[in-house]
Amino acid sequence: MKLLSVLLASLSTVSSVSALSSNSEGSPQDISDVICTGRPRSTCAVELDVPHGCEETDSICPIVFFLHGSGGTNRWFKNTSGVHSAGYIGVYPNGEGGWSTGPKSSDTCQWDDFQCTTDPDEGDFIASIIQEVRDRGANGNIYAIGNSNGAALAHRLASNANSSLPIKGIVAKVTQLLKSPERSGPGTLNYNQPSSVRGSHRVSVLSIMGTEDGLIPYEGGSSSVFGGNDNFQLMSAMESMNTWAIHNGCSGEYEMSSHVSDQGDLTATKYTYGSCPSDVIVEHYAMNGAGHNAGGASIDGEKIDYVIAYDFIQRLENGSSGPTSPVASPVASPTSTLCFNDPAWSGKFNSAHTCEYIAENPSQRCGWENIDGVKASEACKYACDEFCSTSVNSPSASPSTTNDDDACRDNDRKFELLNGKKKTCKWVSKKNTSKRCAKKIDVDSTVSDLCPVTCQDPKNPTCTPTDYVGKFEMPNGRERSCNYPLQNNGAKIEKRCGKYAIRANCPVTCEEYL
Ligand SMILES: *[C@@H]1O[C@H](CO)[C@@H](O)[C@H](O)[C@H]1NC(C)=O
Ligand SMILES: *[C@@H]1O[C@H](CO)[C@@H](O)[C@H](O)[C@H]1NC(C)=O
Ligand SMILES: *[C@@H]1O[C@H](CO)[C@@H](O)[C@H](O)[C@H]1NC(C)=O
Ligand SMILES: CC(=O)N[C@H]1CO[C@H](CO)[C@@H](O)[C@@H]1O
């Protein structure tokens, strides 16, 4: 009898709102209509990806927002997020050519017009999605993982975290907090820094930054993404970390550890902030020598997307701040913690003889000892351990080396329509896309055969793009590779990816890192 009334009670709760249902992997639920109606957005879309096991009312599965960069869309997350094996609820919102975290040419109001109703209000957009998933019965902790412009949004959401926007943790790849202005864009959830005076909640932060990022400088200051508007200034990466550490109630002190990466100079320095409240983690990876694509890196052989990102979430879910374990992922290879230079070690005769100095001549120096008799071969594994250097020379994430003939990539040359006019896939993407895709180019083929990436239905993509491996020829005869837009650490990625031959050959690079 008691069971029955409990059952009836829960049934009636469920029927009052749309309940949380699960979906199979790769087929998320489209909740765009519920969220987008009435918003000043032209490419608004939201997908909700609920694995089996997370669908019951009062689900406590973590809810993870995936925030694309300014050149990206939400379309690949269903295929790449892996939330079904992780047991997380994925949320994939689509921005308006990125997110309004700075001045945008498409904005109709000034950045300091907080009453504006004609530009996208990102805080309200995300808060309304959270409200919707809560109404459906998803009660888990809320996280955001963002890359580049998406990381700027993650910081912005975290800066406004309160009961309207209950963010527990963010993974911010290649963008830090703004130093100024204090607020920008429409609405009330538009503060750019956390504040205990405003009552912002504590938010755990995992940050990844390339020290040679040409677009979002590690040292902070201005960036070309602000279009010359000097009101917008970035904190340095370390200032941003310190802001989060102090806001979260940590002491501001950190421990450093050395790691192996597959980008830049192949090393990463991890900063683990100490004396934090037990439910808070604040960590930063400086990817030494790496650029704006550092979010795509592996550290100690594990991809940031999403092994290291999910390990961070899992540690928060487990309720342990785990400050002593560097990337203790369940799937981490046993060697990951061994490849480590102890930043505190130095030789007994000269404090300048650090592990980095040992590394310059390991065969001669690894036998040296510090004042306590600890050998460099013990303290400077990364410098001295042969295995560690082997793993540097053959990073586990080696790119594939062949081009697949039926790869999902747009044609990188002009082609002729039946009326003789010469066009490119970029022209197809500009307007009336579905109509242009359907145009015939001969008896049995259409433009969509030449522009498969541009022409596929973003809601139901049939192919996953791949970059061209090796060199391809530009219309002007120059040879380029997909590394070209990333050169100078991505300083010119926007301009270079704007050229149709580059965009066509490098759909992944141009979408993922911009
Ligand atoms: C959350 O913070 C915003 C400003 O950051 C404020 O306008 C809003 O009222 C707060 N919500 C609650 C429920 O406190
Ligand atoms: C979380 O807790 C589970 C169960 O105790 C454990 O197996 C797992 O290793 C923990 N994960 C992390 C990342 O701490
Ligand atoms: C093509 O696009 C233009 C402008 O975007 C629009 O005015 C026109 O109606 C479209 N044509 C068709 C046939 O859809
Ligand atoms: C997780 C998932 O569905 N991955 C798929 C993404 O798309 C590629 C190519 O279409 C498939 O090979 C993967 O299995």
Side-chain angles (χ1 to χ4, degrees):
M1 198 54 189
K2 197 175 173 194
L3 256 181
L4 185 64
S5 55
V6 170
L7 191 66
L8 287 175
S10 60
L11 275 178
S12 59
T13 347
V14 169
S15 59
S16 60
V17 289
S18 43
L20 190 63
S21 43
S22 62
N23 55 266
S24 54
E25 184 163 10
S27 308
Q29 304 160 49
D30 186 345
I31 60 164
S32 310
D33 287 351
V34 193
I35 303 295
C36 297
T37 310
R39 292 181 188 276
R41 291 175 174 266
S42 55
T43 55
C44 185
V46 186
E47 289 175 346
L48 182 61
D49 201 355
V50 184
H52 300 299
C54 291
E55 68 270 44
E56 75 273 23
T57 351
D58 294 332
S59 159
I60 53 154
C61 293
I63 299 155
V64 186
F65 282 76
F66 292 77
L67 306 172
H68 60 75
S70 78
T73 72
N74 68 343
R75 79 176 97 155
W76 311 118
F77 292 130
K78 63 161 125 349
N79 186 275
T80 57
S81 73
V83 292
H84 285 257
S85 35
Y88 299 162
I89 295 172
V91 183
Y92 317 137
N94 201 49
E96 304 294 306
W99 308 98
S100 286
T101 55
K104 279 177 76 183
S105 52
S106 54
D107 284 347
T108 57
C109 303
Q110 291 297 312
W111 62 269
D112 55 355
D113 178 0
F114 310 138
Q115 317 304 324
C116 177
T117 55
T118 47
D119 288 337
D121 177 341
E122 311 296 13
D124 184 66
F125 179 49
I126 302 296
S128 73
I129 300 172
I130 294 174
Q131 192 57 55
E132 175 65 21
V133 297
R134 288 280 190 249
D135 286 349
R136 290 181 186 217
N139 288 319
N141 292 317
I142 297 180
Y143 301 92
I145 300 177
N147 192 57
S148 189
N149 191 200
L153 180 58
H155 278 294
R156 151 90 86 127
L157 298 171
S159 295
N160 292 277
N162 62 12
S163 53
S164 315
L165 203 53
I167 306 283
K168 183 174 171 72
I170 60 169
V171 178
K173 293 173 286 176
V174 298
T175 298
Q176 63 275 55
L177 280 169
L178 284 171
K179 193 181 182 78
S180 64
E182 188 189 11
R183 290 175 79 181
S184 55
T188 52
L189 296 166
N190 62 352
Y191 286 85
N192 290 319
Q193 302 87 27
S195 152
S196 50
V197 176
R198 284 199 331 272
S200 322
H201 289 184
R202 292 168 171 159
V203 182
S204 290
V205 175
L206 173 64
S207 137
I208 293 102
M209 285 284 303
T211 61
E212 301 299 322
D213 191 323
L215 189 65
I216 304 291
Y218 191 85
E219 299 309 330
S222 193
S223 162
S224 62
V225 299
F226 303 132
N229 187 329
D230 286 336
N231 294 296
F232 287 81
Q233 298 287 328
L234 292 155
M235 291 186 191
S236 72
M238 293 305 284
E239 204 179 345
S240 172
M241 292 313 297
N242 190 56
T243 301
W244 279 119
I246 300 300
H247 174 73
N248 286 333
C250 315
S251 66
E253 290 165 318
Y254 51 77
E255 280 177 15
M256 292 164 73
S257 54
S258 305
H259 300 266
V260 185
S261 93
D262 56 357
Q263 287 199 5
D265 73 5
L266 306 181
T267 70
T269 307
K270 183 181 184 186
Y271 297 78
T272 305
Y273 286 76
S275 310
C276 294
S278 63
D279 59 343
V280 169
I281 300 177
V282 180
E283 290 174 350
H284 168 61
Y285 285 99
M287 308 296 292
N288 299 312
H292 196 61
N293 56 338
S298 295
I299 299 169
D300 295 339
E302 301 291 356
K303 295 292 275 179
I304 295 164
D305 290 339
Y306 291 101
V307 177
I308 291 173
Y310 285 4
D311 175 71
F312 166 77
I313 292 175
Q314 205 52 55
R315 281 184 287 143
L316 287 165
E317 289 293 303
N318 279 7
S320 82
S321 57
T324 49
S325 64
V327 197
S329 141
V331 286
S333 73
T335 55
S336 59
T337 48
L338 294 178
C339 295
F340 177 89
N341 279 345
D342 179 353
W345 189 94
S346 62
K348 63 182 167 189
F349 299 120
N350 190 332
S351 63
H353 292 167
T354 60
C355 289
E356 283 65 40
Y357 183 78
I358 301 294
E360 288 166 18
N361 192 349
S363 61
Q364 297 289 316
R365 298 175 184 166
C366 285
W368 293 5
E369 293 181 351
N370 73 358
I371 203 155
D372 302 319
V374 178
K375 280 202 159 73
S377 55
E378 289 302 307
C380 311
K381 291 269 190 207
Y382 174 52
C384 297
D385 189 305
E386 203 181 329
F387 180 83
C388 294
S389 48
T390 314
S391 69
V392 173
N393 292 334
S394 50
S396 59
S398 58
S400 66
T401 49
T402 49
N403 290 301
D404 180 356
D405 279 345
D406 45 290
C408 180
R409 213 176 285 130
D410 280 355
N411 197 291
D412 70 348
R413 287 288 182 275
K414 288 189 178 169
F415 52 84
E416 228 170 86
L417 297 175
L418 284 184
N419 64 9
K421 288 196 174 144
K422 291 195 167 167
K423 300 293 181 190
T424 63
C425 294
K426 190 174 173 181
W427 169 80
V428 176
S429 72
K430 277 199 168 152
K431 61 179 183 186
N432 298 353
T433 301
S434 51
K435 193 157 185 274
R436 288 178 177 180
C437 288
K439 282 187 192 290
K440 284 209 176 265
I441 42 174
D442 57 39
V443 237
D444 51 13
S445 48
T446 59
V447 166
S448 64
D449 296 320
L450 292 174
C451 311
V453 176
T454 297
C455 290
Q456 67 178 328
D457 177 2
K459 296 221 165 108
N460 187 21
T462 46
C463 69
T464 305
T466 51
D467 279 356
Y468 192 87
V469 177
K471 295 201 164 161
F472 51 86
E473 201 183 297
M474 296 290 289
N476 64 8
R478 288 220 177 92
E479 289 204 326
R480 299 291 185 207
S481 76
C482 290
N483 195 37
Y484 176 66
L486 297 174
Q487 276 173 357
N488 302 318
N489 295 300
K492 293 193 175 158
I493 187 168
E494 225 161 329
K495 190 167 170 216
R496 290 179 175 175
C497 284
K499 294 190 190 295
Y500 71 84
I502 297 214
R503 183 91 201 186
N505 279 301
C506 314
V508 180
T509 295
C510 288
E511 179 146 325
E512 197 166 329
Y513 298 126
L514 188 55

